[in-house]
């Protein structure tokens, strides 16, 4: 009897542990909308474009990084030794923000091996990392206690501060646990950092902004397997065409019939091409040879004399599956920008132009960054293993015209809960009827388990009594009963149905599915 009780109590403990460890969707929570904008960092000078966040009372402007699962920020000690105040501000801005552990009274370091995240990202040799937790506040009202992040100390690194939005994102997990978002799906309009048409962006958690979508979504599988490096948003480049002011169009692809694997990640703004592709770009755009004949400083791989601007009118990107986007001239080319004498990011040279194209010095594959996403709307659904791209509506839109569509799917259902809002801050909507709160669910679980416990005890008592009666009686052996075979069927509500190409369909209006596994396209893929 004691053994039975111990087993039943073990089941109770296991049930509670499983319940509290599961990040279940809560569709009574409205989608969360966070702006992507320029944020003044704690020194009062440096700027960083991203999601505003107060981390341990220190203001940050985090970029989004889909290649990492956890958030990281540079240790303020790295910039304190930069020298003049302008150099310190330049260091802070280039780093994307810094964090001072001594200046936070709420930071808690995690012991080695005890950091509560699903996946720890790799880090470069020579980097010193302190992992821990602090209180994060987003958009002034969304408070997330025990927010996990890494504090990096790496003088060789230019930018380490970002929110990890990868497949095992601890950011999404923390927001779910804090009931700040209904579900982990994301809709992203990155906006523009251009000089002539700057525009703030936004990220929607648990939905997307239909007012920013122009046309159908093209769907791609998460982690398609084209690349060896961590990147959940992988695509195949079919063509990259450079247009000049005189109307000529020339491809910079190394082989017209090949497909080049690429990664979509807005943590960097410019396109990063392979050396072969960048070589073709440099030839077409007449990139100058260093050193300049006038004795000025050397040209970088992104800077050109003014007369070269006519060779880079537009850039047309075509992906396998048919998605095509045109990068306009105002996004592709601007005056040379950098940190001025005060350390503020600004125009530093009007006699040169800077193109949003560079050569990758770390990765051997193209990176499609912020400029690529300036013209596209991105949706990511890790649960369904699919992401989508559609053309984005450009220019400012009336805040009241925003149409936030919820993509939250309540557990044990198969369709998103209808929830449309029209605000640009955190949406407010009434809870979906007939849904239970977290406390009510917990009470239901506990009550059900203890009810099962009582029934089990009653069953044991009746069984013991019945066995005693059978012991005193003589009965013939029971006739053996043949087992009944039954085919188990999977509930259609458990998983979305796969398409013929092997991808999962997003719950959107019209969708164009881009299929193809790595094996199906391996004969057409090259690594330029």
């Amino acid at each position: 009897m004691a053994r039975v009780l111990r087993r039943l109590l073990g089941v109770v403990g296991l049930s509670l542990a499983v319940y509290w460890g599961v990040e279940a969707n809560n569709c009574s929570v409205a989608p969360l909308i966070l702006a992507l904008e320029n944020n003044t960092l704690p020194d009062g000078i440096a700027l960083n474009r991203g999601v505003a966040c107060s981390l341990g009372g220190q203001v940050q402007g985090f970029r989004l990084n889909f290649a990492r699962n956890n958030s990281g920020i540079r240790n303020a000690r790295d910039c304190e030794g930069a020298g003049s105040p302008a150099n310190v501000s330049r260091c802070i801005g280039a780093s994307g923000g810094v964090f001072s552990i001594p200046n936070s009274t709420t930071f808690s370091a995690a012991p080695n091996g005890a950091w509560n995240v699903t996946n720890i990202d790799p880090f470069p040799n020579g980097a010193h990392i302190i992992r821990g937790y602090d209180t994060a506040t987003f958009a002034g009202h969304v408070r997330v206690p025990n927010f996990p992040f890494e504090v990096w100390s790496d003088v060789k690194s230019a930018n380490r501060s970002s929110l990890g939005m990868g497949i095992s994102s601890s950011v999404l997990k923390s927001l779910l646990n804090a009931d700040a978002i209904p579900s982990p799906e994301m809709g992203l309009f990155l906006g523009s950092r251009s000089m002539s048409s700057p525009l703030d962006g936004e990220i929607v958690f648990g939905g997307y902004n239909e007012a920013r979508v122009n046309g159908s979504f093209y769907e791609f599988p998460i982690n398609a397997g084209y690349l060896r490096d961590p990147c959940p948003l992988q695509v195949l480049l079919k063509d990259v065409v450079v247009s000049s002011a005189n109307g000529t169009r020339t491809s910079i692809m190394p082989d017209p019939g090949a497909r080049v694997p690429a990664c979509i990640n807005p943590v960097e703004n410019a396109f990063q091409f392979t050396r072969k592709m960048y070589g073709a770009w440099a030839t077409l755009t007449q990139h100058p040879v260093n050193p300049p004949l006038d004795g000025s400083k050397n040209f970088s791989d992104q800077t050109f004399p003014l007369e070269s601007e006519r060779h880079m009118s537009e850039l047309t990107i075509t992906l396998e599956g048919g998605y095509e986007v045109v990068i306009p001239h105002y996004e592709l080319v601007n005056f040379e920008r950098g940190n001025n004498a005060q350390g503020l990011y600004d125009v530093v040279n009007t006699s040169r132009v800077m193109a949003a194209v560079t050569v990758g010095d770390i990765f051997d594959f193209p990176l499609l960054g912020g400029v690529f996403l300036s013209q596209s709307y991105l949706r990511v659904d890790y649960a369904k293993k699919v992401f989508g791209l559609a053309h984005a509506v450009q220019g400012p839109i009336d805040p009241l015209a925003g149409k936030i569509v919820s993509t939250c799917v309540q557990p044990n259902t198969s369709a998103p809960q209808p929830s449309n809002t029209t605000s640009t801050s955190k949406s407010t909507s009434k809870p979906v009827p007939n849904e239970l709160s977290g406390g009510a669910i917990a009470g239901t679980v506990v009550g059900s388990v203890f009810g099962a416990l009582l029934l089990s005890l009653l069953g044991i008592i009746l069984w013991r009594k019945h066995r005693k009666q059978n012991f005193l009686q003589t009965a013939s052996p029971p006739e053996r009963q043949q087992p009944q075979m039954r085919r188990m069927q999977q509930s259609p509500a458990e998983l979305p149905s796969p398409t013929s190409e092997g991808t999962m369909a997003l719950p959107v209006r019209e969708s164009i599915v881009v299929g193809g596994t790595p094996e199906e396209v391996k004969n057409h893929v090259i690594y330029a």
Side-chain angles (χ1 to χ4, degrees):
M1 188 68 176
R3 184 187 306 170
V4 175
L5 282 173
R6 283 196 299 269
R7 288 182 178 178
L8 289 172
L9 290 175
V11 171
V12 173
L14 178 61
S15 300
L16 291 176
V18 170
Y19 169 75
W20 291 116
V22 174
E23 294 78 40
N25 292 351
N26 183 0
C27 296
S28 65
V29 176
L32 173 64
I33 309 168
L34 298 178
L36 297 171
E37 56 191 356
N38 289 333
N39 298 281
T40 303
L41 300 180
D43 70 329
I45 299 294
L47 295 174
N48 193 45
R49 191 171 187 275
V51 174
C53 172
S54 172
L55 196 60
Q58 303 174 40
V59 178
Q60 310 295 341
F62 282 113
R63 301 183 188 187
L64 304 177
N65 192 342
F66 285 89
R68 300 191 68 82
N69 296 300
N70 305 299
S71 302
I73 188 167
R74 193 169 194 174
N75 196 319
R77 294 285 298 273
D78 284 0
C79 294
E80 290 172 357
S84 67
N87 286 339
V88 172
S89 295
R90 187 178 295 111
C91 175
I92 294 173
S95 302
V98 296
F99 183 79
S100 174
I101 294 177
N103 290 342
S104 173
T105 60
T106 52
F107 178 79
S108 174
N112 289 335
W115 197 37
N116 186 23
V117 298
T118 304
N119 189 302
I120 296 180
D121 302 297
F123 56 90
N125 294 331
H128 299 277
I129 300 176
I130 299 175
R131 299 184 174 96
Y133 314 89
D134 211 329
T135 299
T137 304
F138 296 92
H141 58 270
V142 180
R143 186 175 180 273
V144 182
N146 298 319
F147 183 81
F149 62 98
E150 300 172 326
V151 182
W152 288 69
S153 181
D154 183 3
V155 295
K156 298 179 181 179
S157 171
N159 180 11
R160 284 293 179 192
S161 300
S162 62
L163 291 177
M165 309 305 295
I167 294 178
S168 301
S169 171
S170 58
V171 178
L172 296 176
K173 180 179 178 181
S174 298
L175 291 172
L176 280 168
N177 288 344
D179 280 335
I181 62 176
S183 54
E185 308 89 53
M186 292 171 278
L188 174 63
F189 172 66
L190 200 66
S192 172
R193 292 180 58 188
S194 65
M195 292 178 57
S196 62
S197 303
L199 186 63
D200 290 341
E202 66 180 18
I203 183 169
V204 182
F205 295 97
Y208 69 100
N209 190 347
E210 191 176 44
R212 278 291 179 193
V213 179
N214 181 16
S216 303
F217 280 94
Y218 287 69
E219 296 179 2
F220 303 84
I222 293 287
N223 257 355
Y226 310 135
L227 300 171
R228 295 178 293 272
D229 295 82
C231 174
L233 310 183
Q234 300 178 25
V235 293
L236 292 176
L237 280 177
K238 185 176 181 180
D239 205 359
V240 179
V241 175
V242 181
S243 302
S244 66
N246 63 9
T248 60
R249 291 170 51 86
T250 308
S251 174
I252 62 172
M253 295 290 285
D255 182 349
R259 303 293 181 264
V260 178
C263 175
I264 299 174
N265 195 354
V267 69
E268 300 291 347
N269 191 54
F271 288 94
Q272 293 186 13
F273 290 140
T274 65
R275 295 195 175 277
K276 288 184 179 179
M277 295 175 68
Y278 179 81
W281 158 268
T283 299
L284 284 173
T285 56
Q286 298 183 11
H287 189 270
V289 177
N290 288 316
L293 297 178
D294 60 2
S296 59
K297 68 175 183 178
N298 285 350
F299 290 92
S300 71
D301 54 7
Q302 288 186 255
T303 55
F304 296 77
L306 292 178
E307 56 268 23
S308 295
E309 184 179 0
R310 67 181 185 274
H311 301 301
M312 49 187 89
S313 179
E314 292 179 341
L315 196 65
T316 303
I317 309 294
T318 304
L319 305 182
E320 179 71 10
Y323 183 70
E324 181 177 291
V325 62
V326 177
I327 309 302
H329 183 72
Y330 68 84
E331 288 287 351
L332 187 61
V333 182
N334 289 279
F335 284 125
E336 183 178 2
R337 292 188 285 184
N339 294 103
N340 61 21
Q342 288 75 38
L344 180 66
Y345 187 77
D346 198 1
V347 174
V348 295
N349 192 345
T350 57
S351 66
R352 294 182 178 184
V353 293
M354 174 180 282
V357 173
T358 184
V359 59
D361 56 354
I362 299 178
F363 306 109
D364 60 352
F365 53 84
L367 180 68
L368 311 183
V371 172
F372 171 78
L373 287 177
S374 70
Q375 305 301 304
S376 300
Y377 197 95
L378 171 68
R379 291 185 57 200
V380 180
D381 192 333
Y382 289 134
K384 295 181 179 177
K385 301 179 182 179
V386 68
F387 70 95
L389 290 170
H391 295 129
V393 174
Q394 298 298 316
I397 61 174
D398 186 348
L400 298 179
K403 186 177 181 182
I404 306 302
V405 179
S406 173
T407 55
C408 179
V409 176
Q410 193 71 26
N412 301 322
T413 65
S414 59
Q417 300 296 308
S419 174
N420 295 343
T421 60
T422 57
S423 67
T424 56
S425 59
K426 185 177 180 181
S427 305
T428 56
S429 62
K430 295 182 179 180
V432 179
N434 300 325
E435 291 183 354
L436 298 178
S437 65
I441 295 175
T444 302
V445 171
V446 174
S448 299
V449 171
F450 278 100
L453 173 61
L454 293 176
L455 290 175
S456 299
L457 291 176
L458 179 61
I460 290 171
I461 295 171
L462 294 175
W463 173 75
R464 287 172 63 89
K465 181 178 180 181
H466 181 70
R467 186 179 66 169
K468 183 176 180 180
Q469 292 176 349
N470 285 343
F471 180 78
L472 300 175
Q473 297 177 359
T474 302
S476 60
E479 181 180 356
R480 184 180 300 274
Q481 185 177 6
Q482 295 296 326
Q484 296 180 355
M485 303 300 294
R486 184 180 64 175
R487 183 181 300 274
M488 299 299 294
Q489 296 181 348
Q490 183 181 19
S491 170
E494 293 177 4
L495 291 174
S497 301
T499 65
S500 59
E501 290 84 0
T503 62
M504 301 294 182
L506 281 170
V508 297
R509 298 165 295 174
E510 179 187 356
S511 298
I512 301 174
V513 178
V514 178
T517 64
E519 290 75 13
E520 293 171 339
V521 299
K522 65 181 179 181
N523 295 328
H524 303 284
V525 176
I526 68 168
Y527 291 84

